């Protein structure tokens, strides 16, 4: 029996429609949510991501501002720019597109962003709030994964979730969110001995390793929910995930495609966070 497809595009479309109507309500109160994106250097993939973020802002009636800085930008210049944006009344969300040029300390830069404008949810204050289950800006990809599962009515409480990957952006916060939802969480990573031993016991399997076809049908329990976060290029240059989709779809209960799965949810949750930041700014007036 084939797995049911989790249509990230459609779930994202519905969520964005809701965000768009909330934006209109805020505008009626005289506030237009504004997102500033800082792009430093010439990374082509980053440029494409940034363009998509701006396009989605436009579509939902939000303002977006792109600040392009050269590869040679200094840490001091970057800090000065972020401080200006921290002070701006028109900018509610600040996103520094990663990776930054190698001479810049990413961790130090993230800490300069005001936690109340940290729409990527990478600031240690937001991470700490998330860990202690307080209201916080949640990193967009993990937030999108949980949103997807909620939208298909998946039960998370008491389930065994196996997360492959322990990055600060995806794996670690994804596991933490599932823990907050009362799941039992196992993290696997590049040093995990015998990955399959863990993955085949997962009710919900989240693959965020960035390795094409890492997950075969032997890694998956019958009927499991399989969330493929990977964004890789195969030999033909086609976008693909970490999961061998064609094989696993016959064993999983639900599965996300790549493209059209987690990707559209990530950008949607960025819009959600920007709207949240704009609402937060009202409560501070
Ligand atoms: P990363 O390189 O920072 O982390 C990868 C993680 O996978 C590491 O923790 C590593 O230990 C683990 N890993 C690597 N090889 C492994 C293996 N063979 N077995 C088990 N674990 C292994 O990457 P990231 O930023 O967390 O992103 C992961 C993937 O998700 C990438 O393909 C990235 O492009 C994609 N991504 C997609 C979205 C989206 O919106 N769809 C967003 C962010 C990242």
């Amino acid at each position: 029996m084939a797995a049911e497809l989790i249509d990230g595009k459609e779930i994202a479309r519905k969520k964005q429609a809701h965000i768009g109507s909330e934006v209109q309500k805020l505008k009626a109160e005289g506030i237009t949510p504004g997102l500033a994106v800082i792009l430093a250097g010439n990374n082509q993939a980053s440029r494409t991501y940034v363009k998509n973020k701006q396009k989605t802002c436009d579509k939902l009636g939000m303002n977006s501002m792109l600040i392009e800085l050269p590869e040679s930008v200094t840490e001091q210049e970057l800090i000065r720019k972020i401080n200006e944006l921290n002070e701006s009344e028109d900018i509610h969300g600040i996103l520094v597109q990663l990776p930054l040029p190698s001479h810049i300390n990413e961790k130090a830069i993230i800490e300069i962003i005001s936690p109340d404008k940290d729409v990527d949810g990478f600031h240690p204050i937001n991470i700490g709030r998330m860990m202690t289950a307080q209201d916080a800006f949640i990193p967009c990809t993990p937030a999108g994964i949980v949103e997807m599962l909620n939208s298909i009515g998946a039960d998370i409480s008491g389930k065994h979730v196996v997360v492959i990957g322990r990055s600060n952006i995806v794996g670690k916060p994804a596991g933490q969110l599932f823990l907050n939802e009362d799941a039992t969480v196992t993290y696997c990573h590049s040093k995990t001995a015998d990955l399959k031993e863990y993955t085949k016991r997962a009710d919900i399997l989240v693959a965020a390793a960035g390795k094409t076809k890492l997950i075969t049908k032997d890694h998956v329990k019958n009927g499991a929910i399989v969330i493929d976060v990977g964004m890789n290029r195969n030999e033909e240059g086609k976008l693909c995930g970490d999961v061998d989709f064609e094989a696993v779809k016959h064993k999983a209960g639900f599965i996300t495609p790549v493209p059209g799965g987690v990707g559209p949810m990530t950008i949607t949750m960025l819009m959600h966070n920007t709207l949240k930041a704009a609402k937060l700014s009202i409560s501070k007036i």
Side-chain angles (χ1 to χ4, degrees):
M1 208 182 72
E4 214 170 295
L5 201 69
I6 306 179
D7 185 349
K9 254 193 194 160
E10 179 57 17
I11 300 168
R13 192 191 60 73
K14 282 195 187 135
K15 176 92 186 162
Q16 286 187 16
H18 177 69
I19 295 170
S21 67
E22 289 289 297
V23 169
Q24 291 313 316
K25 282 188 211 156
L26 263 193
K27 279 181 155 174
E29 290 177 43
I31 297 203
T32 303
L35 173 68
V37 178
I38 298 180
L39 177 62
N42 308 312
N43 184 313
Q44 275 317 309
S46 292
R47 196 163 287 278
T48 307
Y49 296 147
V50 163
K51 243 197 225 152
N52 284 339
K53 288 167 187 173
Q54 285 196 289
K55 244 171 55 190
T56 313
C57 277
D58 278 358
K59 191 168 89 185
L60 302 190
M62 299 188 190
N63 287 333
S64 72
M65 178 197 275
L66 173 63
I67 296 123
E68 290 192 76
L69 299 169
E71 183 82 25
S72 59
V73 66
T74 65
E75 213 164 287
Q76 282 318 308
E77 283 167 331
L78 200 47
I79 289 173
R80 206 173 316 123
K81 194 72 226 172
I82 293 171
N83 277 330
E84 263 175 41
L85 297 168
N86 280 341
E87 296 302 318
S88 165
E89 283 185 11
D90 301 327
I91 294 298
H92 306 100
I94 303 170
L95 183 156
V96 177
Q97 186 65 45
L98 302 178
L100 285 169
S102 55
H103 60 279
I104 292 183
N105 179 344
E106 278 184 4
K107 288 199 175 90
I109 291 299
I110 286 168
E111 290 197 26
I112 301 297
I113 299 171
S114 160
D116 290 343
K117 296 191 176 188
D118 169 38
V119 285
D120 255 340
F122 296 161
H123 193 291
I125 288 190
N126 280 311
I127 303 283
R129 285 179 182 153
M130 180 184 67
M131 290 210 61
T132 50
Q134 298 177 61
D135 188 33
F137 288 103
I138 307 292
C140 302
T141 302
I145 294 171
V146 172
E147 183 80 23
M148 262 181 152
L149 290 174
N150 287 338
S151 83
I152 63 163
D155 236 344
I156 297 175
S157 174
K159 294 290 188 279
H160 181 204
V161 178
V162 175
V163 179
I164 309 171
R166 56 171 164 181
S167 71
N168 291 332
I169 295 175
V170 186
K172 269 189 223 161
Q176 183 62 51
L177 278 189
F178 281 113
L179 191 60
N180 290 358
E181 300 278 334
D182 297 328
T184 301
V185 178
T186 302
Y187 286 98
C188 297
H189 47 78
S190 55
K191 299 283 191 288
T192 299
D194 205 351
L195 183 66
K196 212 181 285 175
E197 253 331 288
Y198 300 94
T199 59
K200 69 187 189 193
R201 285 189 271 131
D203 300 309
I204 300 172
L205 179 60
V206 178
K211 296 275 179 292
T212 307
K213 292 195 178 171
L214 177 69
I215 301 304
T216 67
K217 67 177 181 357
D218 296 341
H219 288 81
V220 177
K221 181 164 93 172
N222 271 325
I225 299 177
V226 178
I227 307 288
D228 192 353
V229 185
M231 275 195 337
N232 316 305
R233 296 272 164 195
N234 66 12
E235 310 86 56
E236 295 112 54
K238 252 181 75 184
L239 192 65
C240 62
D242 290 354
V243 176
D244 182 352
F245 183 86
E246 286 308 317
V248 171
K249 76 177 184 196
H250 298 295
K251 202 166 180 192
F254 289 87
I255 189 167
T256 63
V258 177
V262 177
M265 293 307 295
T266 295
I267 201 155
T268 301
M269 298 318 285
L270 175 66
M271 299 300 118
H272 167 88
N273 282 351
T274 305
L275 174 67
K276 180 183 168 95
K279 287 182 176 171
L280 192 68
S281 76
I282 305 179
S283 67
K284 298 213 154 163
I285 293 171

